[in-house]
Amino acid sequence: MVDEKEEIQKCDRCEREFPAEDLIEEGGSRICENCYINAHARIKVCDPWAVRSKKILRERAGLVGSEGLTDSQKEIYEFIVSKGGATRDEIAKRFDMPLEELENEFAILRHCELVKGQKRNDGVYIVPFED
Ligand SMILES: [Zn+2]
């Protein structure tokens, strides 16, 4: 039985069809979750809508904690947790990774609400979100 209220719409980017309610409004167009994630491979920091949709995506995918992260994201997250917080420089040194690349990983960890920035006397630390 088909629910009459279920509208099918095309994703503005990949043009595949999805239930209208599954599309995400983004800058005036409506795109699917896949395109949304791709568009946000380099996501802006502290964008409340992005945090919310990422959370929804993770909930839908049944992901909790650090599941669903790449290996390097997991390692960075575990390092931060084990130290109770670390600066960007410490993390860059530990993982031998350019800061630019790290920022990208932080952005994803932040959007999954696993870590957050915290200002301390000697600088800004990346700390576990629940702290
Ligand atoms: Zn799409």
Side-chain angles (χ1 to χ4, degrees), residues 7-56:
E7 242 185 282
I8 298 294
Q9 273 190 10
K10 273 186 185 170
C11 164
D12 286 344
R13 244 170 249 192
C14 65
E15 304 208 307
R16 280 184 298 170
E17 292 185 333
F18 294 91
E21 58 171 17
D22 280 357
L23 293 173
I24 297 163
E25 186 104 36
E26 167 92 333
S29 46
R30 295 181 49 86
I31 58 178
C32 70
E33 293 180 352
N34 242 340
C35 292
Y36 182 84
I37 292 169
N38 289 343
H40 285 260
R42 294 193 79 88
I43 27 187
K44 278 182 288 164
V45 168
C46 294
D47 174 347
W49 164 239
V51 172
R52 198 152 39 116
S53 28
K54 186 93 193 185
K55 248 183 130 169
I56 294 167

Short mmCIF file of all heavy atoms in Angstrom, two decimals, residues 7-56:
data_model
loop_
_atom_site.label_atom_id
_atom_site.label_comp_id
_atom_site.label_asym_id
_atom_site.label_seq_id
_atom_site.Cartn_x
_atom_site.Cartn_y
_atom_site.Cartn_z
N GLU A 7 5.65 12.02 -0.96
CA GLU A 7 6.00 12.68 -2.21
C GLU A 7 7.38 12.24 -2.64
O GLU A 7 8.27 12.12 -1.82
CB GLU A 7 6.08 14.18 -1.94
CG GLU A 7 5.08 15.02 -2.70
CD GLU A 7 5.38 16.48 -2.42
OE1 GLU A 7 5.01 16.96 -1.34
OE2 GLU A 7 6.01 17.08 -3.29
N ILE A 8 7.53 12.02 -3.93
CA ILE A 8 8.87 11.68 -4.43
C ILE A 8 9.46 12.91 -5.11
O ILE A 8 8.78 13.57 -5.90
CB ILE A 8 8.78 10.50 -5.43
CG1 ILE A 8 8.23 9.26 -4.74
CG2 ILE A 8 10.12 10.23 -6.09
CD1 ILE A 8 9.13 8.67 -3.68
N GLN A 9 10.68 13.21 -4.76
CA GLN A 9 11.34 14.35 -5.39
C GLN A 9 12.72 13.94 -5.85
O GLN A 9 13.32 13.03 -5.29
CB GLN A 9 11.48 15.51 -4.39
CG GLN A 9 10.27 16.41 -4.38
CD GLN A 9 10.53 17.67 -3.57
OE1 GLN A 9 11.66 17.94 -3.19
NE2 GLN A 9 9.48 18.43 -3.34
N LYS A 10 13.20 14.66 -6.84
CA LYS A 10 14.56 14.39 -7.31
C LYS A 10 15.55 15.24 -6.54
O LYS A 10 15.30 16.40 -6.26
CB LYS A 10 14.66 14.76 -8.80
CG LYS A 10 14.25 13.63 -9.71
CD LYS A 10 14.52 14.01 -11.15
CE LYS A 10 13.99 12.93 -12.08
NZ LYS A 10 14.03 13.38 -13.48
N CYS A 11 16.68 14.63 -6.23
CA CYS A 11 17.79 15.39 -5.67
C CYS A 11 18.28 16.35 -6.74
O CYS A 11 18.46 15.97 -7.89
CB CYS A 11 18.89 14.42 -5.26
SG CYS A 11 20.47 15.22 -4.98
N ASP A 12 18.47 17.61 -6.35
CA ASP A 12 18.89 18.62 -7.33
C ASP A 12 20.28 18.36 -7.88
O ASP A 12 20.65 18.88 -8.91
CB ASP A 12 18.85 20.02 -6.70
CG ASP A 12 17.41 20.51 -6.55
OD1 ASP A 12 16.53 19.91 -7.20
OD2 ASP A 12 17.18 21.45 -5.78
N ARG A 13 21.05 17.57 -7.16
CA ARG A 13 22.41 17.36 -7.62
C ARG A 13 22.59 16.08 -8.43
O ARG A 13 23.05 16.11 -9.56
CB ARG A 13 23.38 17.35 -6.45
CG ARG A 13 24.33 18.53 -6.58
CD ARG A 13 25.14 18.73 -5.37
NE ARG A 13 24.73 19.96 -4.72
CZ ARG A 13 25.40 20.53 -3.75
NH1 ARG A 13 26.51 19.99 -3.30
NH2 ARG A 13 24.98 21.64 -3.21
N CYS A 14 22.21 14.94 -7.85
CA CYS A 14 22.46 13.68 -8.57
C CYS A 14 21.23 13.22 -9.34
O CYS A 14 21.31 12.29 -10.11
CB CYS A 14 22.92 12.60 -7.59
SG CYS A 14 21.66 12.14 -6.39
N GLU A 15 20.10 13.91 -9.12
CA GLU A 15 18.85 13.64 -9.85
C GLU A 15 18.27 12.26 -9.61
O GLU A 15 17.43 11.80 -10.37
CB GLU A 15 19.05 13.90 -11.35
CG GLU A 15 19.55 15.32 -11.61
CD GLU A 15 19.13 15.83 -12.98
OE1 GLU A 15 19.40 15.11 -13.94
OE2 GLU A 15 18.51 16.91 -13.04
N ARG A 16 18.70 11.58 -8.56
CA ARG A 16 18.03 10.35 -8.18
C ARG A 16 16.77 10.71 -7.40
O ARG A 16 16.68 11.80 -6.83
CB ARG A 16 18.96 9.47 -7.34
CG ARG A 16 19.95 8.72 -8.22
CD ARG A 16 20.79 7.78 -7.40
NE ARG A 16 21.57 8.53 -6.40
CZ ARG A 16 22.25 7.94 -5.43
NH1 ARG A 16 22.24 6.64 -5.29
NH2 ARG A 16 22.96 8.67 -4.59
N GLU A 17 15.82 9.80 -7.34
CA GLU A 17 14.56 10.11 -6.67
C GLU A 17 14.56 9.64 -5.22
O GLU A 17 15.05 8.55 -4.92
CB GLU A 17 13.40 9.48 -7.45
CG GLU A 17 13.21 10.14 -8.79
CD GLU A 17 11.99 9.60 -9.53
OE1 GLU A 17 11.61 8.44 -9.28
OE2 GLU A 17 11.44 10.35 -10.35
N PHE A 18 13.99 10.47 -4.37
CA PHE A 18 13.92 10.16 -2.94
C PHE A 18 12.58 10.63 -2.40
O PHE A 18 11.97 11.54 -2.97
CB PHE A 18 15.02 10.91 -2.18
CG PHE A 18 16.41 10.47 -2.55
CD1 PHE A 18 17.09 11.11 -3.58
CD2 PHE A 18 17.01 9.42 -1.89
CE1 PHE A 18 18.37 10.71 -3.94
CE2 PHE A 18 18.29 9.01 -2.24
CZ PHE A 18 18.97 9.66 -3.27
N PRO A 19 12.13 10.04 -1.29
CA PRO A 19 10.97 10.62 -0.61
C PRO A 19 11.30 12.07 -0.25
O PRO A 19 12.41 12.34 0.23
CB PRO A 19 10.81 9.77 0.65
CG PRO A 19 11.59 8.53 0.40
CD PRO A 19 12.67 8.88 -0.58
N ALA A 20 10.39 12.98 -0.51
CA ALA A 20 10.65 14.41 -0.31
C ALA A 20 11.20 14.69 1.08
O ALA A 20 12.08 15.52 1.27
CB ALA A 20 9.39 15.22 -0.57
N GLU A 21 10.69 13.97 2.08
CA GLU A 21 11.10 14.26 3.46
C GLU A 21 12.55 13.86 3.73
O GLU A 21 13.13 14.29 4.72
CB GLU A 21 10.17 13.55 4.46
CG GLU A 21 10.15 12.05 4.23
CD GLU A 21 9.41 11.29 5.33
OE1 GLU A 21 8.66 11.93 6.07
OE2 GLU A 21 9.62 10.07 5.43
N ASP A 22 13.13 13.06 2.86
CA ASP A 22 14.52 12.67 3.06
C ASP A 22 15.52 13.66 2.47
O ASP A 22 16.71 13.55 2.70
CB ASP A 22 14.79 11.29 2.43
CG ASP A 22 14.29 10.17 3.33
OD1 ASP A 22 13.81 10.48 4.43
OD2 ASP A 22 14.37 9.00 2.92
N LEU A 23 15.03 14.60 1.70
CA LEU A 23 15.93 15.56 1.07
C LEU A 23 16.27 16.67 2.05
O LEU A 23 15.47 17.03 2.90
CB LEU A 23 15.32 16.12 -0.21
CG LEU A 23 15.16 15.09 -1.32
CD1 LEU A 23 14.40 15.68 -2.49
CD2 LEU A 23 16.50 14.54 -1.78
N ILE A 24 17.45 17.18 1.89
CA ILE A 24 17.94 18.21 2.81
C ILE A 24 18.02 19.53 2.06
O ILE A 24 18.56 19.60 0.96
CB ILE A 24 19.32 17.82 3.36
CG1 ILE A 24 19.21 16.53 4.18
CG2 ILE A 24 19.92 18.95 4.19
CD1 ILE A 24 20.51 15.81 4.43
N GLU A 25 17.44 20.55 2.66
CA GLU A 25 17.44 21.87 2.05
C GLU A 25 18.83 22.49 2.22
O GLU A 25 19.36 22.55 3.32
CB GLU A 25 16.42 22.75 2.77
CG GLU A 25 16.23 24.09 2.14
CD GLU A 25 14.93 24.15 1.35
OE1 GLU A 25 13.94 23.53 1.79
OE2 GLU A 25 14.92 24.82 0.31
N GLU A 26 19.39 22.88 1.11
CA GLU A 26 20.77 23.39 1.17
C GLU A 26 20.92 24.51 0.15
O GLU A 26 20.90 24.27 -1.05
CB GLU A 26 21.74 22.24 0.89
CG GLU A 26 23.15 22.69 0.61
CD GLU A 26 23.99 22.73 1.87
OE1 GLU A 26 23.43 22.91 2.96
OE2 GLU A 26 25.21 22.60 1.75
N GLY A 27 21.06 25.72 0.64
CA GLY A 27 21.28 26.87 -0.23
C GLY A 27 20.25 26.98 -1.34
O GLY A 27 20.61 27.25 -2.49
N GLY A 28 18.98 26.74 -1.02
CA GLY A 28 17.93 26.92 -2.01
C GLY A 28 17.66 25.69 -2.85
O GLY A 28 16.66 25.62 -3.55
N SER A 29 18.53 24.68 -2.79
CA SER A 29 18.21 23.46 -3.52
C SER A 29 17.95 22.33 -2.53
O SER A 29 18.28 22.43 -1.34
CB SER A 29 19.34 23.10 -4.49
OG SER A 29 20.58 23.20 -3.86
N ARG A 30 17.35 21.28 -3.01
CA ARG A 30 17.06 20.14 -2.15
C ARG A 30 17.90 18.97 -2.62
O ARG A 30 17.77 18.54 -3.76
CB ARG A 30 15.57 19.84 -2.17
CG ARG A 30 14.80 20.99 -1.55
CD ARG A 30 13.30 20.81 -1.48
NE ARG A 30 12.83 19.56 -0.92
CZ ARG A 30 12.66 19.35 0.41
NH1 ARG A 30 12.93 20.28 1.26
NH2 ARG A 30 12.18 18.20 0.82
N ILE A 31 18.73 18.47 -1.73
CA ILE A 31 19.66 17.43 -2.14
C ILE A 31 19.56 16.23 -1.20
O ILE A 31 19.05 16.34 -0.09
CB ILE A 31 21.12 17.95 -2.16
CG1 ILE A 31 21.55 18.48 -0.80
CG2 ILE A 31 21.27 19.05 -3.23
CD1 ILE A 31 22.99 18.95 -0.76
N CYS A 32 20.02 15.08 -1.68
CA CYS A 32 19.93 13.86 -0.88
C CYS A 32 21.07 13.81 0.14
O CYS A 32 22.00 14.62 0.10
CB CYS A 32 19.96 12.64 -1.79
SG CYS A 32 21.56 12.35 -2.57
N GLU A 33 21.00 12.83 1.03
CA GLU A 33 21.99 12.74 2.10
C GLU A 33 23.40 12.53 1.55
O GLU A 33 24.36 13.11 2.05
CB GLU A 33 21.62 11.60 3.04
CG GLU A 33 20.35 11.90 3.80
CD GLU A 33 19.96 10.79 4.75
OE1 GLU A 33 20.59 9.71 4.70
OE2 GLU A 33 19.03 10.99 5.54
N ASN A 34 23.49 11.72 0.52
CA ASN A 34 24.78 11.46 -0.10
C ASN A 34 25.43 12.72 -0.63
O ASN A 34 26.60 13.00 -0.36
CB ASN A 34 24.57 10.51 -1.28
CG ASN A 34 25.32 9.23 -1.05
OD1 ASN A 34 26.25 9.17 -0.25
ND2 ASN A 34 24.92 8.20 -1.75
N CYS A 35 24.66 13.48 -1.39
CA CYS A 35 25.17 14.72 -1.96
C CYS A 35 25.47 15.71 -0.84
O CYS A 35 26.42 16.48 -0.91
CB CYS A 35 24.17 15.34 -2.93
SG CYS A 35 23.98 14.35 -4.43
N TYR A 36 24.66 15.65 0.20
CA TYR A 36 24.87 16.55 1.33
C TYR A 36 26.23 16.26 1.97
O TYR A 36 27.00 17.16 2.24
CB TYR A 36 23.75 16.38 2.35
CG TYR A 36 23.90 17.32 3.52
CD1 TYR A 36 23.43 18.63 3.43
CD2 TYR A 36 24.52 16.92 4.68
CE1 TYR A 36 23.58 19.51 4.47
CE2 TYR A 36 24.68 17.79 5.74
CZ TYR A 36 24.20 19.09 5.63
OH TYR A 36 24.37 19.96 6.67
N ILE A 37 26.50 14.99 2.20
CA ILE A 37 27.77 14.62 2.82
C ILE A 37 28.94 15.01 1.91
O ILE A 37 29.93 15.58 2.36
CB ILE A 37 27.80 13.11 3.14
CG1 ILE A 37 26.80 12.81 4.26
CG2 ILE A 37 29.20 12.67 3.54
CD1 ILE A 37 26.56 11.33 4.48
N ASN A 38 28.78 14.73 0.62
CA ASN A 38 29.84 15.10 -0.32
C ASN A 38 30.09 16.60 -0.31
O ASN A 38 31.23 17.04 -0.32
CB ASN A 38 29.49 14.65 -1.74
CG ASN A 38 29.57 13.14 -1.87
OD1 ASN A 38 30.19 12.47 -1.03
ND2 ASN A 38 28.95 12.61 -2.90
N ALA A 39 29.00 17.36 -0.30
CA ALA A 39 29.13 18.81 -0.33
C ALA A 39 29.82 19.32 0.92
O ALA A 39 30.40 20.39 0.93
CB ALA A 39 27.76 19.46 -0.48
N HIS A 40 29.73 18.53 1.98
CA HIS A 40 30.26 18.98 3.26
C HIS A 40 31.53 18.25 3.66
O HIS A 40 31.89 18.22 4.83
CB HIS A 40 29.20 18.85 4.36
CG HIS A 40 28.17 19.92 4.23
ND1 HIS A 40 28.18 21.04 5.01
CD2 HIS A 40 27.14 20.05 3.37
CE1 HIS A 40 27.17 21.81 4.63
NE2 HIS A 40 26.54 21.23 3.65
N ALA A 41 32.20 17.68 2.66
CA ALA A 41 33.49 17.05 2.97
C ALA A 41 34.39 18.10 3.59
O ALA A 41 35.21 17.82 4.45
CB ALA A 41 34.11 16.48 1.71
N ARG A 42 34.23 19.34 3.15
CA ARG A 42 34.90 20.45 3.84
C ARG A 42 33.80 21.31 4.43
O ARG A 42 33.26 22.19 3.78
CB ARG A 42 35.73 21.27 2.86
CG ARG A 42 36.90 20.51 2.29
CD ARG A 42 37.84 21.47 1.59
NE ARG A 42 38.67 22.18 2.57
CZ ARG A 42 39.83 21.71 3.01
NH1 ARG A 42 40.29 20.59 2.58
NH2 ARG A 42 40.53 22.39 3.87
N ILE A 43 33.47 21.02 5.64
CA ILE A 43 32.34 21.70 6.25
C ILE A 43 32.76 22.90 7.06
O ILE A 43 33.85 22.93 7.60
CB ILE A 43 31.52 20.75 7.16
CG1 ILE A 43 32.43 19.67 7.70
CG2 ILE A 43 30.34 20.22 6.42
CD1 ILE A 43 31.72 18.60 8.46
N LYS A 44 31.87 23.85 7.14
CA LYS A 44 32.13 25.01 7.98
C LYS A 44 32.02 24.60 9.44
O LYS A 44 31.23 23.74 9.80
CB LYS A 44 31.10 26.10 7.69
CG LYS A 44 31.45 26.93 6.48
CD LYS A 44 30.41 28.02 6.28
CE LYS A 44 29.11 27.42 5.80
NZ LYS A 44 27.95 28.29 5.93
N VAL A 45 32.81 25.24 10.25
CA VAL A 45 32.80 24.94 11.67
C VAL A 45 31.63 25.68 12.34
O VAL A 45 31.33 26.81 11.96
CB VAL A 45 34.16 25.34 12.27
CG1 VAL A 45 34.10 25.32 13.78
CG2 VAL A 45 35.24 24.42 11.75
N CYS A 46 31.01 25.02 13.31
CA CYS A 46 29.95 25.66 14.08
C CYS A 46 28.76 26.11 13.25
O CYS A 46 28.28 27.24 13.37
CB CYS A 46 30.49 26.85 14.89
SG CYS A 46 31.63 26.32 16.13
N ASP A 47 28.31 25.27 12.38
CA ASP A 47 27.11 25.53 11.61
C ASP A 47 26.02 24.66 12.24
O ASP A 47 26.02 23.46 12.09
CB ASP A 47 27.38 25.14 10.15
CG ASP A 47 26.15 25.25 9.29
OD1 ASP A 47 25.03 25.38 9.86
OD2 ASP A 47 26.28 25.19 8.07
N PRO A 48 25.13 25.28 13.01
CA PRO A 48 24.18 24.49 13.81
C PRO A 48 23.33 23.56 12.94
O PRO A 48 23.01 22.45 13.35
CB PRO A 48 23.31 25.53 14.50
CG PRO A 48 23.82 26.85 14.11
CD PRO A 48 24.94 26.71 13.13
N TRP A 49 22.98 24.01 11.77
CA TRP A 49 22.15 23.16 10.92
C TRP A 49 22.94 21.93 10.49
O TRP A 49 22.42 20.82 10.46
CB TRP A 49 21.64 23.95 9.71
CG TRP A 49 21.12 23.08 8.62
CD1 TRP A 49 21.58 23.03 7.34
CD2 TRP A 49 20.06 22.12 8.68
NE1 TRP A 49 20.88 22.10 6.62
CE2 TRP A 49 19.95 21.53 7.42
CE3 TRP A 49 19.22 21.69 9.72
CZ2 TRP A 49 19.00 20.53 7.14
CZ3 TRP A 49 18.28 20.69 9.45
CH2 TRP A 49 18.18 20.15 8.16
N ALA A 50 24.20 22.12 10.18
CA ALA A 50 25.02 20.98 9.77
C ALA A 50 25.18 19.99 10.91
O ALA A 50 25.14 18.79 10.71
CB ALA A 50 26.38 21.46 9.28
N VAL A 51 25.31 20.51 12.13
CA VAL A 51 25.43 19.63 13.29
C VAL A 51 24.17 18.79 13.41
O VAL A 51 24.21 17.58 13.58
CB VAL A 51 25.63 20.44 14.59
CG1 VAL A 51 25.55 19.52 15.79
CG2 VAL A 51 26.96 21.15 14.56
N ARG A 52 23.04 19.47 13.26
CA ARG A 52 21.77 18.78 13.42
C ARG A 52 21.59 17.70 12.35
O ARG A 52 21.25 16.58 12.65
CB ARG A 52 20.63 19.79 13.35
CG ARG A 52 19.36 19.29 13.91
CD ARG A 52 18.53 20.44 14.42
NE ARG A 52 18.64 21.59 13.53
CZ ARG A 52 17.62 22.09 12.85
NH1 ARG A 52 16.44 21.55 12.95
NH2 ARG A 52 17.78 23.13 12.09
N SER A 53 21.88 18.05 11.11
CA SER A 53 21.63 17.06 10.06
C SER A 53 22.61 15.92 10.14
O SER A 53 22.27 14.78 9.88
CB SER A 53 21.64 17.68 8.67
OG SER A 53 22.47 18.78 8.64
N LYS A 54 23.83 16.23 10.53
CA LYS A 54 24.81 15.17 10.68
C LYS A 54 24.36 14.18 11.76
O LYS A 54 24.47 12.98 11.61
CB LYS A 54 26.15 15.79 11.07
CG LYS A 54 27.28 14.83 11.12
CD LYS A 54 28.00 14.81 9.79
CE LYS A 54 28.94 13.61 9.76
NZ LYS A 54 29.75 13.58 8.59
N LYS A 55 23.82 14.75 12.83
CA LYS A 55 23.31 13.91 13.91
C LYS A 55 22.19 13.02 13.42
O LYS A 55 22.12 11.84 13.74
CB LYS A 55 22.77 14.80 15.03
CG LYS A 55 23.60 14.72 16.30
CD LYS A 55 22.97 15.56 17.38
CE LYS A 55 22.82 14.78 18.65
NZ LYS A 55 22.45 15.64 19.78
N ILE A 56 21.30 13.62 12.63
CA ILE A 56 20.18 12.86 12.09
C ILE A 56 20.71 11.74 11.21
O ILE A 56 20.27 10.60 11.31
CB ILE A 56 19.23 13.78 11.30
CG1 ILE A 56 18.57 14.77 12.27
CG2 ILE A 56 18.19 12.97 10.53
CD1 ILE A 56 17.86 15.92 11.60
#
